[in-house]
Amino acid sequence: MNQFEKLTIKSTIQHLKCKDFSCKELTEYFIKKISDNRKLNCFITETPDHALEMALNSDKKIDNNEIRAMEGIPIAMKDLFCTKNVKTTAASKILENFIPFYESTVSKKLWDSGSVMLGKSNLDEFAMGSANTTSFFGNVINPIKGKNNSDLVPGGSSGGSAAAVAAGLCLGATGSDTGGSIRQPASFCGIVGMKPTYGRCSRFGMVAFASSLDQAGTLTKNVDDSAIMLQTICGYDEKDSTSSKMDVPKFSEYEKLSLKGKKIGIPKEYLVDGLNSEIKKSWENFSEEFKKIGVEIIDISLPHTKYSLPTYYIIAPAEASANLARYDGVRYGYRHQNVDNLDDLYEISRSKGFGDEVKRRIMIGTYVLSAGYYDAYYIKALKVRRLILDDFIKAFKKCDLILTPTTPNVSFLIGEKQDDPLEMYLNDVLTVPASLAGLPAISVPAGKNKDGLPFGLQIISSHFNEALVFKAAKFIEDTNK
Amino acid sequence: MSIDNSIVKKISKLSKLKIKSDSEDKMAEELNNILNWVESLQEVNTEKVEPLLSVLNEKMPLRDDKVVMDDNQVDILNNAPEKKSGFFVVPKVVE
C-alpha cells in the first residue's frame, strides 16, 4: 500500500512538520491519483499546475517554520466557489467558460491557511439535486460499488467533493449545503460531512442558490479533520452581511467537552415512511451506546417536520428564481448568438444555458412569487418556516443534541429516481429541517448495510454549538470502528 | 389542474425562459405535481405567525459611508460574451 493512502489531514500535518515527506511529493501523488480515476468524474477542472505551485510554497513555509493551519493539505474545491483566474462553472453550461477575477472568502481562507487546490469538484447544476445527475459535465460515480459492481450515485449536490474524499483523491473537500447537499453525499459515500450554523461562513463568492439557506461546510475522512478544516473557513466577513460576528471557538478542542449528563433527543417524526430497516436499527443501537456513557436519551417531538420539504420547495426555488435572474447572456456566461432583439437574447441564452431541473425550479419560484400567489405560497412557507424553527428552539430547551438518520436510505443506481422530481426531493427529508432552522448538523458514518453500502447518522445542535456536535460525532466514529 | 399551458406561458415569460410548445404539457404537469405536494402547508394554522425571512439573529451591520474605488473594468469585461469600447454589447433596442 502506498504510504499516502491512509493519511488524514491531522496526520499529514504531523508528517509534514517532521519532514517525513514533502508537500510536493504528496501533491504529485494526488495529481496522479486524480488522473487515474477520471472515470469517477469527480472533477470539472483539475488544477495540477496550481497545486504544484502551492505545494512548493508550502514546502518553503515548512522549511522556514512558518506552518499555517492547513499547510500543504491537498483539497478539492467544490466548483461553486469562485476561484480567481480558475474556471468556476457551478456545473452549468451557462457558466461553462466563466473565469472569476476574484476569490470567494471560503476558498481564500483555505489558501491563506496553506491548503493546496487540486481542482474544482463536480456538483449538481447550481447545487440543485441530490444525486449529482443534473451536472452539465456528467454524473459523478460513487467509488463504492453496488451489487454486481454496478455504478451508484454519490449523492448531491456536493457529489464530486464527497466521492473525491471517499476515493482518496484528496484529503478534504469543500461543500455547500442548502437542504442537505453536504450531509446526504457524505452519508452515501461513507465520510463525514459538516454543515455549520447559518452565518458561520461567508457566502461571498459562493455561487448563490438560495441565500437564506446556503451554507459552506466540509467533507472529510473523519471528525478531527472536519474540525480542523471547518476552523479555517469560519468567521465574519464584511463582504457578506449575513455572516455572523459570533466568536469562533477552537473546534479541535471539542475533546475537552464531556457528553456525560448531556441529553440527546430522538424526534419521533424522523421515523419516516420507507426508512431503511438497517438504518433504523443503527439509529437505535447508537442511542443505546450513548446511554452507556451516561448520556440521557429522551423522546422529543418536532411536530412540523412533515412540512419541512414542502416549505423548502417553495422558499429555495423562490430565492433561486431571483438569484438566477443575473444570468442574462450579457455580462458573463453563455450567450446565444445571432439574435436580433434583447428579449430573445435573454430567453434563448437562459433556455439553452440552464438544465431541466434548474428551469423547473426557476419556474416554480417565479410562480410562487408572482402576483396573486405570493401570500398563498411564499409568505405561507415563511410562516411555516418559523414554526419549524420554533419546534427546534423548544426541543433544545429539553435536550442538548438531536440524533437522527441522515438519509432514509443508502445510495441508489445511477439513472434511478429520474422520472419524478418529487421522488428525488424525498432524499432530503431528514436534512432539510436543520437547514430551514439554520442549525449546525453533521453526518457521520454509522455503519453499512448487508450489501456493504454506507450510511450516516445526523447530529444536530442549537445554533453555534458545533463543538458539541463534533464531540458526539467522534463518539459515533470511535464506536463504529 | 391549477396550472395550465397559459400559465406556463405567462411564468416562462416572467422567468425569461423559452418553453417549447410541445414541452408545455409536461412542464404544466410537473409544476402541478409539485404544487399539489406543497399544498399540505395550507392545513397548518399560521394565523399569528410572523414570516421568517432569516434565521440570523444579529443586527445587519452598517458599513462606513466612504467611497471605495475598484479599477477592474477590464477584468469585468473579460467575461463578457460581447464587448466594445469598454461596454457590454446587446442587440439594438431603439430603432
Side-chain angles (χ1 to χ4, degrees), chain A residues 98-99 101 236 241-242 244-246 306-307 310-311 313-314 329-333 335 343-344 347 350-351 360 363-364 366-367 376-377 380 382-383 386-387 422 436, chain B residues 11-18 30-31 35 37-44 46 49-53 55-56 58 60-61 72 75-76 79-82 88-91:
Chain A
F98 177 62
I99 300 175
F101 63 89
Y236 172 71
S241 60
T242 63
S244 171
K245 286 188 167 166
M246 287 282 281
K306 71 168 174 169
Y307 302 111
T311 301
Y313 276 98
I314 290 174
V330 173
R331 294 161 299 155
Y332 45 81
R335 174 191 186 105
D343 268 337
D344 277 357
E347 289 183 5
R350 287 165 62 79
S351 299
R360 198 178 291 128
M363 291 282 285
I364 280 284
T366 304
Y367 181 74
Y377 288 106
K380 182 78 185 180
L382 293 182
K383 289 179 176 176
R386 181 176 298 280
L387 295 174
L422 289 177
L436 288 168
Chain B
I11 299 297
S12 66
K13 201 81 201 159
L14 288 172
S15 309
K16 290 275 181 274
L17 290 170
K18 256 196 169 53
E30 284 175 352
L31 297 187
L35 288 173
W37 176 66
V38 301
E39 202 59 35
S40 67
L41 294 189
Q42 301 309 324
E43 72 197 41
V44 184
T46 53
V49 182
E50 283 294 307
L52 177 67
L53 274 161
V55 292
L56 194 78
E58 293 169 35
M60 287 275 181
N72 47 20
D75 292 331
I76 290 171
N79 275 302
E82 208 180 327
F88 298 112
V89 175
V90 294

Coordinates of all heavy atoms in Angstrom, one line a residue, chain A residues 98-99 101 236 241-242 244-246 306-307 310-311 313-314 329-333 335 343-344 347 350-351 360 363-364 366-367 376-377 380 382-383 386-387 422 436, chain B residues 11-18 30-31 35 37-44 46 49-53 55-56 58 60-61 72 75-76 79-82 88-91:
Chain A
F98 N -16.8 30.6 -17.5 CA -16.7 31.8 -16.6 C -15.4 31.7 -15.8 O -15.1 30.7 -15.1 CB -17.9 31.8 -15.6 CG -17.8 32.9 -14.6 CD1 -17.8 34.2 -15.0 CD2 -17.8 32.6 -13.3 CE1 -17.8 35.2 -14.1 CE2 -17.7 33.6 -12.3 CZ -17.7 34.9 -12.7
I99 N -14.6 32.7 -15.8 CA -13.3 32.8 -15.1 C -13.4 34.0 -14.1 O -13.3 35.1 -14.6 CB -12.1 32.9 -16.0 CG1 -12.1 31.7 -16.9 CG2 -10.8 33.0 -15.2 CD1 -11.0 31.7 -18.0
F101 N -12.6 36.9 -11.5 CA -11.3 37.7 -11.2 C -11.2 38.0 -9.8 O -10.4 38.8 -9.3 CB -11.3 39.0 -12.1 CG -12.4 40.0 -11.7 CD1 -12.3 40.9 -10.7 CD2 -13.6 39.9 -12.4 CE1 -13.3 41.8 -10.4 CE2 -14.6 40.8 -12.1 CZ -14.5 41.7 -11.1
Y236 N -16.6 36.1 10.6 CA -17.3 37.2 10.0 C -16.5 37.8 8.8 O -15.3 37.8 8.8 CB -17.4 38.3 11.1 CG -18.0 39.6 10.5 CD1 -19.3 39.6 10.1 CD2 -17.2 40.7 10.3 CE1 -19.9 40.8 9.5 CE2 -17.7 41.9 9.8 CZ -19.0 41.9 9.4 OH -19.6 43.1 8.9
S241 N -23.1 40.4 4.5 CA -23.8 41.0 5.7 C -24.6 39.9 6.5 O -25.0 40.2 7.6 CB -24.8 42.1 5.2 OG -25.8 41.5 4.3
T242 N -24.7 38.7 6.0 CA -25.4 37.7 6.8 C -24.4 36.7 7.4 O -24.7 35.7 8.0 CB -26.3 36.8 5.9 OG1 -25.6 36.1 4.9 CG2 -27.4 37.6 5.3
S244 N -21.9 35.8 10.5 CA -22.1 36.1 11.9 C -20.8 36.7 12.5 O -19.7 36.3 12.2 CB -22.5 34.8 12.6 OG -22.5 35.0 14.0
K245 N -21.1 37.5 13.5 CA -20.0 38.1 14.3 C -19.7 37.3 15.5 O -18.8 37.7 16.3 CB -20.3 39.6 14.7 CG -20.2 40.5 13.5 CD -20.3 42.0 13.9 CE -19.9 42.8 12.7 NZ -20.3 44.2 12.8
M246 N -20.4 36.2 15.7 CA -20.1 35.4 16.9 C -18.7 34.9 16.9 O -18.2 34.6 15.8 CB -21.1 34.2 16.9 CG -22.5 34.5 17.2 SD -22.8 34.7 19.0 CE -22.8 33.0 19.5
K306 N -43.0 17.2 9.0 CA -43.5 16.8 7.7 C -43.8 17.9 6.8 O -44.0 17.7 5.6 CB -44.8 15.9 7.9 CG -46.0 16.7 8.4 CD -47.3 15.8 8.2 CE -48.5 16.4 8.8 NZ -49.7 15.7 8.5
Y307 N -43.8 19.2 7.3 CA -44.0 20.3 6.4 C -42.7 20.9 5.9 O -42.7 21.9 5.1 CB -44.8 21.4 7.1 CG -46.2 20.9 7.6 CD1 -46.5 20.7 8.9 CD2 -47.1 20.6 6.6 CE1 -47.7 20.3 9.3 CE2 -48.4 20.1 7.0 CZ -48.6 19.9 8.4 OH -49.9 19.4 8.8
P310 N -42.1 20.5 1.8 CA -42.9 21.5 1.1 C -42.5 22.9 1.3 O -42.5 23.7 0.4 CB -44.3 21.2 1.6 CG -44.3 19.8 2.1 CD -42.9 19.6 2.6
T311 N -42.1 23.2 2.5 CA -41.7 24.6 2.8 C -40.4 24.9 2.1 O -40.3 26.0 1.4 CB -41.4 24.8 4.4 OG1 -42.6 24.5 5.0 CG2 -41.0 26.2 4.7
Y313 N -39.3 23.5 -0.7 CA -39.5 23.6 -2.1 C -40.4 24.7 -2.6 O -40.8 24.8 -3.7 CB -40.0 22.2 -2.7 CG -38.8 21.4 -2.9 CD1 -38.4 20.4 -2.0 CD2 -38.0 21.6 -4.0 CE1 -37.2 19.7 -2.2 CE2 -36.8 20.9 -4.2 CZ -36.4 19.9 -3.3 OH -35.2 19.2 -3.5
I314 N -40.8 25.6 -1.6 CA -41.3 26.9 -2.0 C -40.2 28.0 -1.8 O -39.9 28.7 -2.7 CB -42.5 27.3 -1.2 CG1 -43.7 26.4 -1.6 CG2 -42.9 28.8 -1.4 CD1 -44.9 26.6 -0.7
G329 N -26.8 36.5 -20.3 CA -26.1 36.4 -21.6 C -25.5 37.7 -22.0 O -25.0 37.8 -23.1
V330 N -25.4 38.6 -21.1 CA -24.9 39.9 -21.4 C -23.5 40.2 -20.8 O -22.5 40.5 -21.5 CB -25.8 41.1 -21.1 CG1 -25.2 42.4 -21.3 CG2 -27.1 41.0 -21.9
R331 N -23.4 40.0 -19.5 CA -22.2 40.4 -18.7 C -21.2 39.2 -18.6 O -20.0 39.4 -18.6 CB -22.6 40.9 -17.4 CG -23.4 42.2 -17.5 CD -24.2 42.5 -16.3 NE -25.2 41.4 -16.0 CZ -25.6 41.1 -14.8 NH1 -25.2 41.8 -13.8 NH2 -26.5 40.1 -14.6
Y332 N -21.7 38.0 -18.5 CA -20.9 36.8 -18.4 C -21.7 35.6 -18.7 O -22.9 35.7 -18.8 CB -20.2 36.7 -17.0 CG -21.1 36.9 -15.9 CD1 -22.0 35.9 -15.5 CD2 -21.2 38.1 -15.2 CE1 -22.9 36.1 -14.4 CE2 -22.1 38.3 -14.2 CZ -22.9 37.3 -13.8 OH -23.8 37.5 -12.7
G333 N -21.1 34.5 -18.9 CA -21.8 33.3 -19.2 C -22.3 33.1 -20.6 O -21.9 33.9 -21.5
R335 N -24.0 32.9 -24.1 CA -24.9 33.9 -24.8 C -25.2 33.2 -26.2 O -24.3 32.8 -26.9 CB -24.1 35.2 -25.1 CG -24.8 36.2 -26.0 CD -23.8 37.3 -26.3 NE -24.3 38.4 -27.0 CZ -24.5 39.6 -26.4 NH1 -24.3 39.8 -25.2 NH2 -24.9 40.6 -27.2
D343 N -35.0 40.6 -25.8 CA -35.8 39.5 -25.1 C -35.4 38.1 -25.6 O -35.3 37.2 -24.8 CB -37.3 39.7 -25.3 CG -37.9 40.6 -24.2 OD1 -37.4 40.6 -23.1 OD2 -39.0 41.2 -24.5
D344 N -35.2 38.0 -26.9 CA -34.8 36.7 -27.4 C -33.4 36.4 -26.9 O -33.1 35.2 -26.6 CB -34.7 36.7 -29.0 CG -36.1 36.4 -29.5 OD1 -37.0 36.2 -28.7 OD2 -36.3 36.5 -30.8
E347 N -34.0 35.1 -23.3 CA -34.8 33.9 -23.3 C -34.0 32.7 -23.9 O -34.0 31.6 -23.3 CB -36.1 34.0 -23.9 CG -37.0 35.0 -23.1 CD -38.4 35.1 -23.8 OE1 -38.7 34.4 -24.8 OE2 -39.2 35.9 -23.2
R350 N -30.8 31.8 -21.8 CA -31.2 31.1 -20.5 C -31.7 29.7 -20.7 O -31.4 28.8 -20.0 CB -32.2 32.0 -19.7 CG -31.5 33.2 -19.1 CD -32.5 34.2 -18.6 NE -33.4 33.8 -17.6 CZ -33.1 33.7 -16.3 NH1 -31.9 34.0 -15.9 NH2 -34.0 33.2 -15.4
S351 N -32.5 29.6 -21.8 CA -33.1 28.3 -22.1 C -32.1 27.2 -22.5 O -32.2 26.1 -22.2 CB -34.2 28.4 -23.1 OG -35.2 29.2 -22.7
R360 N -37.0 24.1 -14.0 CA -38.2 23.7 -13.2 C -38.2 24.6 -12.0 O -39.3 25.1 -11.6 CB -38.1 22.2 -12.9 CG -39.4 21.6 -12.5 CD -39.2 20.1 -12.2 NE -38.9 19.4 -13.4 CZ -37.9 18.5 -13.6 NH1 -37.0 18.3 -12.6 NH2 -37.7 17.9 -14.7
M363 N -39.0 28.2 -12.6 CA -40.5 28.3 -12.9 C -41.3 28.3 -11.7 O -42.2 29.1 -11.4 CB -40.9 27.2 -13.9 CG -40.3 27.3 -15.3 SD -41.1 28.6 -16.3 CE -42.7 27.7 -16.7
I364 N -41.1 27.3 -10.8 CA -41.8 27.2 -9.5 C -41.6 28.4 -8.7 O -42.5 29.0 -8.2 CB -41.3 25.9 -8.7 CG1 -42.0 24.7 -9.3 CG2 -41.6 26.1 -7.3 CD1 -43.5 24.5 -8.9
T366 N -40.7 31.4 -9.6 CA -41.3 32.6 -10.2 C -42.9 32.6 -9.9 O -43.5 33.6 -9.6 CB -41.1 32.7 -11.7 OG1 -39.7 32.6 -11.9 CG2 -41.7 33.9 -12.4
Y367 N -43.4 31.4 -10.1 CA -44.9 31.2 -9.8 C -45.2 31.6 -8.4 O -46.1 32.4 -8.2 CB -45.3 29.8 -10.1 CG -46.8 29.5 -9.9 CD1 -47.7 30.0 -10.9 CD2 -47.2 28.8 -8.8 CE1 -49.0 29.7 -10.7 CE2 -48.6 28.6 -8.7 CZ -49.5 29.0 -9.6 OH -50.8 28.8 -9.4
A376 N -50.2 33.2 -0.7 CA -50.7 31.8 -0.5 C -49.5 30.9 -0.4 O -49.6 29.9 0.3 CB -51.6 31.4 -1.6
Y377 N -48.5 31.1 -1.2 CA -47.4 30.1 -1.2 C -46.1 30.7 -0.5 O -45.7 30.1 0.5 CB -47.0 29.8 -2.7 CG -48.0 28.9 -3.4 CD1 -48.8 29.5 -4.3 CD2 -48.1 27.6 -3.1 CE1 -49.7 28.6 -5.0 CE2 -49.0 26.8 -3.7 CZ -49.8 27.3 -4.7 OH -50.7 26.5 -5.3
K380 N -46.8 32.1 3.1 CA -47.2 30.9 3.9 C -46.0 30.0 4.3 O -45.9 29.6 5.5 CB -48.2 30.1 3.1 CG -48.8 28.9 3.9 CD -49.9 29.3 4.8 CE -50.3 28.1 5.7 NZ -51.4 28.5 6.6
L382 N -42.9 31.0 4.6 CA -42.1 31.6 5.5 C -42.6 31.5 7.0 O -41.9 31.4 7.9 CB -41.9 33.1 5.2 CG -41.2 33.5 3.9 CD1 -41.1 35.0 3.7 CD2 -39.8 32.9 3.9
K383 N -44.0 31.5 7.0 CA -44.6 31.4 8.4 C -44.4 29.9 8.9 O -44.0 29.8 10.1 CB -46.1 31.7 8.3 CG -46.4 33.1 8.0 CD -47.9 33.4 7.9 CE -48.1 34.9 7.8 NZ -49.5 35.2 7.6
R386 N -41.0 29.5 10.3 CA -40.8 29.9 11.7 C -41.3 28.9 12.7 O -40.7 28.6 13.7 CB -41.6 31.3 11.9 CG -41.4 31.7 13.4 CD -42.0 33.1 13.7 NE -41.5 34.2 12.9 CZ -40.3 34.8 13.1 NH1 -39.6 34.5 14.2 NH2 -39.9 35.8 12.3
L387 N -42.4 28.2 12.3 CA -42.9 27.1 13.2 C -41.9 26.0 13.3 O -41.7 25.4 14.4 CB -44.2 26.6 12.7 CG -45.4 27.6 12.7 CD1 -46.6 27.0 12.1 CD2 -45.7 28.0 14.2
L422 N -40.2 14.6 -7.6 CA -40.6 14.5 -6.2 C -39.9 13.4 -5.5 O -39.5 13.5 -4.3 CB -42.1 14.4 -6.1 CG -43.0 15.6 -6.4 CD1 -44.4 15.3 -6.3 CD2 -42.6 16.8 -5.5
L436 N -33.5 24.7 7.2 CA -34.5 25.7 7.4 C -34.3 26.5 8.7 O -34.6 27.7 8.7 CB -36.0 25.1 7.3 CG -36.4 24.7 5.9 CD1 -37.7 23.8 6.0 CD2 -36.6 25.8 5.0
Chain B
I11 N -45.6 32.3 -16.9 CA -44.5 32.1 -16.0 C -43.2 32.1 -16.7 O -42.2 32.7 -16.3 CB -44.7 30.9 -15.1 CG1 -45.9 30.9 -14.3 CG2 -43.5 30.6 -14.2 CD1 -46.0 32.0 -13.3
S12 N -43.2 31.4 -17.9 CA -41.9 31.3 -18.6 C -41.5 32.7 -19.2 O -40.4 33.1 -19.2 CB -42.0 30.3 -19.8 OG -43.0 30.7 -20.7
K13 N -42.5 33.5 -19.5 CA -42.3 34.9 -19.9 C -41.6 35.7 -18.8 O -40.6 36.4 -19.0 CB -43.6 35.5 -20.4 CG -43.4 36.7 -21.3 CD -43.2 36.3 -22.7 CE -42.6 37.4 -23.5 NZ -41.9 36.9 -24.7
L14 N -42.2 35.6 -17.6 CA -41.7 36.3 -16.4 C -40.3 35.8 -16.1 O -39.5 36.5 -15.6 CB -42.6 36.1 -15.2 CG -44.0 36.8 -15.2 CD1 -44.8 36.3 -14.0 CD2 -43.8 38.3 -15.1
S15 N -40.0 34.5 -16.3 CA -38.7 33.9 -15.9 C -37.7 34.1 -17.0 O -36.6 33.7 -16.9 CB -38.9 32.4 -15.7 OG -39.9 32.1 -14.8
K16 N -38.1 34.7 -18.1 CA -37.3 34.8 -19.3 C -36.7 33.5 -19.7 O -35.5 33.3 -19.9 CB -36.1 35.8 -19.1 CG -36.6 37.3 -19.0 CD -36.7 37.9 -20.3 CE -37.2 39.4 -20.3 NZ -38.7 39.5 -20.3
L17 N -37.6 32.5 -19.8 CA -37.2 31.2 -20.3 C -38.1 30.9 -21.5 O -39.3 31.2 -21.4 CB -37.4 30.1 -19.2 CG -36.5 30.1 -18.0 CD1 -37.0 29.2 -16.9 CD2 -35.0 29.7 -18.4
K18 N -37.6 30.2 -22.5 CA -38.5 29.8 -23.6 C -38.8 28.3 -23.4 O -37.9 27.5 -23.3 CB -37.7 29.9 -24.9 CG -38.1 31.1 -25.8 CD -37.6 31.0 -27.2 CE -38.2 32.0 -28.1 NZ -38.1 33.4 -27.6
E30 N -45.6 18.7 -14.4 CA -44.6 18.7 -13.3 C -44.8 19.8 -12.3 O -44.7 19.5 -11.1 CB -43.2 18.8 -13.9 CG -42.7 17.6 -14.6 CD -41.3 17.8 -15.3 OE1 -40.9 18.9 -15.4 OE2 -40.8 16.8 -15.8
L31 N -45.1 20.9 -12.8 CA -45.4 22.0 -11.8 C -46.6 21.7 -11.0 O -46.6 22.0 -9.8 CB -45.5 23.4 -12.6 CG -44.3 23.9 -13.4 CD1 -44.6 25.3 -13.9 CD2 -43.0 23.9 -12.5
L35 N -46.8 21.6 -7.0 CA -47.7 22.5 -6.2 C -48.8 21.7 -5.4 O -49.1 22.1 -4.3 CB -48.4 23.4 -7.2 CG -47.5 24.5 -7.8 CD1 -48.2 25.3 -8.8 CD2 -47.0 25.4 -6.7
W37 N -48.2 18.9 -4.1 CA -47.5 18.4 -3.0 C -47.2 19.4 -1.9 O -47.3 19.1 -0.7 CB -46.2 17.8 -3.5 CG -45.2 17.3 -2.6 CD1 -45.3 16.2 -1.8 CD2 -43.9 17.8 -2.4 NE1 -44.1 16.0 -1.1 CE2 -43.2 17.0 -1.4 CE3 -43.1 18.9 -2.9 CZ2 -41.9 17.2 -1.0 CZ3 -41.9 19.1 -2.5 CH2 -41.3 18.2 -1.5
V38 N -47.0 20.7 -2.3 CA -46.7 21.7 -1.3 C -48.1 22.2 -0.7 O -48.1 23.0 0.3 CB -45.9 22.9 -1.8 CG1 -44.5 22.4 -2.3 CG2 -46.6 23.7 -2.9
E39 N -49.2 21.8 -1.3 CA -50.5 22.2 -0.8 C -50.7 21.9 0.6 O -51.5 22.6 1.3 CB -51.5 21.5 -1.7 CG -52.9 22.2 -1.8 CD -52.8 23.6 -2.3 OE1 -52.0 24.0 -3.2 OE2 -53.6 24.5 -1.8
S40 N -50.1 20.9 1.1 CA -50.3 20.4 2.5 C -50.0 21.6 3.5 O -50.5 21.6 4.6 CB -49.4 19.3 2.9 OG -48.0 19.6 2.8
L41 N -49.2 22.6 3.1 CA -48.9 23.7 4.0 C -50.2 24.4 4.4 O -50.3 25.1 5.5 CB -48.0 24.7 3.4 CG -46.5 24.2 3.1 CD1 -45.7 25.4 2.7 CD2 -46.0 23.5 4.3
Q42 N -51.2 24.4 3.5 CA -52.4 25.1 3.8 C -53.1 24.6 5.1 O -53.9 25.4 5.7 CB -53.4 25.1 2.6 CG -52.8 25.6 1.3 CD -52.2 27.0 1.5 OE1 -52.7 27.9 2.2 NE2 -51.1 27.3 0.7
E43 N -52.9 23.4 5.5 CA -53.5 22.8 6.7 C -52.9 23.3 8.0 O -53.4 23.1 9.0 CB -53.6 21.3 6.6 CG -52.2 20.7 6.9 CD -52.1 19.2 6.4 OE1 -52.7 18.9 5.3 OE2 -51.5 18.4 7.1
V44 N -51.7 24.0 7.9 CA -51.1 24.5 9.1 C -51.7 25.8 9.5 O -51.8 26.7 8.7 CB -49.5 24.7 8.8 CG1 -48.8 25.1 10.1 CG2 -48.9 23.4 8.3
T46 N -51.4 29.3 10.7 CA -50.3 30.2 10.8 C -50.8 31.6 11.2 O -50.2 32.6 10.9 CB -49.5 30.3 9.5 OG1 -50.4 30.5 8.4 CG2 -48.7 29.0 9.3
V49 N -48.6 33.9 13.2 CA -47.2 33.6 13.0 C -46.6 34.7 12.0 O -47.1 35.0 11.0 CB -47.0 32.2 12.4 CG1 -45.5 31.9 12.2 CG2 -47.6 31.2 13.3
E50 N -45.4 35.2 12.5 CA -44.7 36.2 11.6 C -43.9 35.4 10.6 O -43.2 34.4 10.9 CB -43.8 37.0 12.4 CG -44.5 38.1 13.2 CD -45.1 39.2 12.3 OE1 -44.4 39.7 11.4 OE2 -46.3 39.4 12.4
P51 N -43.8 35.8 9.3 CA -42.9 35.2 8.4 C -41.5 35.2 8.8 O -41.0 36.2 9.4 CB -43.1 36.0 7.1 CG -44.4 36.8 7.3 CD -44.5 37.0 8.7
L52 N -40.7 34.2 8.6 CA -39.3 34.1 9.0 C -38.5 34.3 7.7 O -38.4 33.4 6.9 CB -39.0 32.8 9.7 CG -37.5 32.5 10.1 CD1 -37.1 33.5 11.2 CD2 -37.4 31.1 10.5
L53 N -37.8 35.4 7.6 CA -37.0 35.7 6.4 C -35.6 35.3 6.6 O -35.0 34.9 5.6 CB -37.1 37.2 6.1 CG -38.3 37.6 5.2 CD1 -38.6 39.1 5.3 CD2 -38.1 37.2 3.8
V55 N -32.8 33.3 9.5 CA -32.5 32.7 10.8 C -31.4 33.4 11.6 O -31.2 33.2 12.8 CB -32.2 31.2 10.7 CG1 -33.4 30.4 10.2 CG2 -31.0 31.0 9.8
L56 N -30.7 34.3 10.9 CA -29.6 35.0 11.6 C -30.2 36.1 12.5 O -30.9 37.0 12.1 CB -28.7 35.7 10.5 CG -27.4 36.1 11.1 CD1 -26.5 35.0 11.2 CD2 -26.8 37.2 10.2
E58 N -28.8 38.5 14.2 CA -27.9 39.6 14.5 C -28.3 40.8 13.7 O -28.9 40.7 12.6 CB -26.5 39.1 14.2 CG -26.0 38.0 15.1 CD -24.7 37.4 14.7 OE1 -23.9 38.1 14.1 OE2 -24.5 36.2 14.9
M60 N -28.0 43.7 11.2 CA -27.2 43.9 10.0 C -26.3 45.0 10.2 O -26.7 46.1 10.6 CB -28.2 44.2 8.8 CG -29.0 43.1 8.4 SD -28.1 42.1 7.1 CE -29.2 40.9 6.8
P61 N -25.0 44.8 9.9 CA -24.0 45.9 10.2 C -24.1 47.0 9.1 O -24.4 46.7 8.0 CB -22.7 45.1 10.1 CG -22.9 43.9 9.2 CD -24.4 43.6 9.4
N72 N -11.5 47.8 -12.0 CA -11.4 46.5 -12.6 C -12.3 46.3 -13.8 O -12.8 45.3 -14.1 CB -11.7 45.4 -11.6 CG -12.9 45.7 -10.7 OD1 -13.7 46.5 -11.1 ND2 -13.0 45.0 -9.6
D75 N -11.1 43.6 -16.1 CA -11.4 42.3 -15.6 C -12.9 41.9 -15.7 O -13.2 40.8 -16.1 CB -11.1 42.2 -14.0 CG -9.6 42.4 -13.8 OD1 -8.8 41.9 -14.6 OD2 -9.3 42.9 -12.7
I76 N -13.7 42.8 -15.4 CA -15.2 42.5 -15.6 C -15.5 42.2 -17.0 O -16.2 41.3 -17.3 CB -16.0 43.7 -15.0 CG1 -15.9 43.8 -13.5 CG2 -17.5 43.6 -15.4 CD1 -16.5 45.0 -12.9
N79 N -15.1 38.6 -19.1 CA -16.1 37.5 -19.1 C -17.3 37.9 -20.0 O -18.2 37.0 -20.2 CB -16.6 37.2 -17.7 CG -15.7 36.2 -17.0 OD1 -15.4 35.1 -17.5 ND2 -15.1 36.6 -15.9
A80 N -17.3 39.1 -20.6 CA -18.5 39.4 -21.4 C -18.4 38.7 -22.7 O -17.4 38.7 -23.4 CB -18.5 40.9 -21.6
P81 N -19.6 38.1 -23.1 CA -19.6 37.4 -24.4 C -19.4 38.4 -25.6 O -18.8 38.0 -26.6 CB -21.0 36.8 -24.5 CG -21.6 36.9 -23.1 CD -20.8 38.0 -22.4
E82 N -19.8 39.6 -25.4 CA -19.6 40.6 -26.5 C -19.4 41.9 -25.8 O -20.1 42.4 -25.0 CB -20.8 40.6 -27.4 CG -20.4 41.1 -28.8 CD -21.6 41.1 -29.8 OE1 -22.6 40.3 -29.6 OE2 -21.6 42.0 -30.7
F88 N -20.6 46.6 -22.4 CA -21.3 45.4 -22.8 C -22.1 45.7 -24.1 O -22.6 46.7 -24.2 CB -22.2 44.9 -21.8 CG -21.6 44.5 -20.5 CD1 -21.8 45.3 -19.3 CD2 -20.8 43.4 -20.3 CE1 -21.2 45.0 -18.1 CE2 -20.2 43.1 -19.1 CZ -20.4 43.9 -18.0
V89 N -22.2 44.7 -25.0 CA -23.0 44.9 -26.2 C -24.2 44.0 -26.1 O -24.2 42.9 -25.8 CB -22.1 44.5 -27.4 CG1 -23.0 44.6 -28.7 CG2 -20.9 45.4 -27.5
V90 N -25.4 44.7 -26.4 CA -26.6 43.9 -26.5 C -27.2 44.2 -27.9 O -26.8 45.2 -28.6 CB -27.6 44.4 -25.4 CG1 -27.1 44.0 -24.1 CG2 -27.9 45.9 -25.5
P91 N -28.2 43.4 -28.4 CA -28.9 43.8 -29.6 C -29.5 45.1 -29.6 O -29.9 45.6 -28.5 CB -29.9 42.7 -29.8 CG -29.5 41.5 -28.9 CD -28.8 42.2 -27.8

